[in-house]
Amino acid sequence: MDGFAKLNPEWKDIDLSDPKILARVITRVENNAKGSRQWLASVFPAGLVQAQAPVIGITGPPGAGKSTLVNGLIQYYSSRGLKIAVLAVDPTSPFNMGALLGDRIRMSQHYTNPNVFIRSLATRGSLGGVSAKTIEITDVLKAAGFDIIIIETVGVGQSEIEIAGIADTTVLVLVPEAGDDIQNMKSGIMEIADIFVVNKADRPGSDLFIANLAKILHQKPASAWNPPIKATVASENTGIDALAEAIEAHQHSKHTISRKVYLMAEKAFQLIQAERMKDIDRATLAEDIREKMEAGNFNLYNFVTAKE
């Protein structure tokens, strides 16, 4: 039992303004500790729409410069006196279920800023670029009183559309090198974006890439919100202000307000799915399979049927 559990076994009078306590609460929520779900329910009583802090999702393929872009946004918001929380969702090791990458290392310049809290999460097998516990941990951060919450996904490419079911504003980060690949992108990854960012826009071909992207977006049916395209050079902090302004505009658009119910429905679906899968553990599955394979009587479909 960890120190937090010993001091506060009933989740009473938790001071989330203390970064150490906040970190321990997140760990216990992530590990589905006893009482965590009940505590979350008490933090957000019935009738309160969870709109305390806007959630910004940063997604896109590997190498697009998502972490550098997040760094720029942290600097922008913190310079305005806002409290920022960042969840950096990292790939998971298939052997120990821990995070393989540490995006916090690339954000180390903000460690001493008392208004910035950065936490890495392992995807734990999620194919959508976000952890199954991201929703609950995001709500912990809302309860802690942060002004802005940024979720940076693992960057697995076209499959990371789950972020659209968590974030109020989804930013898709691309680079000019994507070139003609933009034509072949699945509609899902294109449709989730509320804002498109072409990062590393100082590289050759960026203007043509932006023009081609604009043509593709122009072909989409008109809606209450037409996703803008913002050019940035995040490593030089160029274009960050314009991006932050676009995020704020989206947050206050009628489109964003009208889709709140759909966001909540998606969150409810993911939480219900996680609850029903809570007794399924990958490490235990692997051990069961190993034993059956060694015994020479393993059949995948019979095994799965027995677990259903």
Side-chain angles (χ1 to χ4, degrees), residues 190-193 196 215-223 226-227:
M190 296 293 289
E191 290 173 358
I192 67 167
F196 287 85
K215 289 179 182 178
I216 294 174
L217 295 179
H218 184 69
Q219 296 171 1
K220 294 176 61 178
S223 65
N226 295 314

Side-chain angles (χ1 to χ4, degrees), residues 216-258:
I216 294 174
L217 295 179
H218 184 69
Q219 296 171 1
K220 294 176 61 178
S223 65
W225 174 262
N226 295 314
I229 303 171
K230 298 298 177 182
T232 65
V233 183
S235 60
E236 299 177 4
N237 214 38
T238 300
I240 300 298
D241 289 15
L243 171 59
E245 290 169 2
I247 291 171
E248 184 175 1
H250 179 261
Q251 292 287 329
H252 293 94
S253 71
K254 292 182 179 179
H255 166 76
T256 304
I257 296 170
S258 65

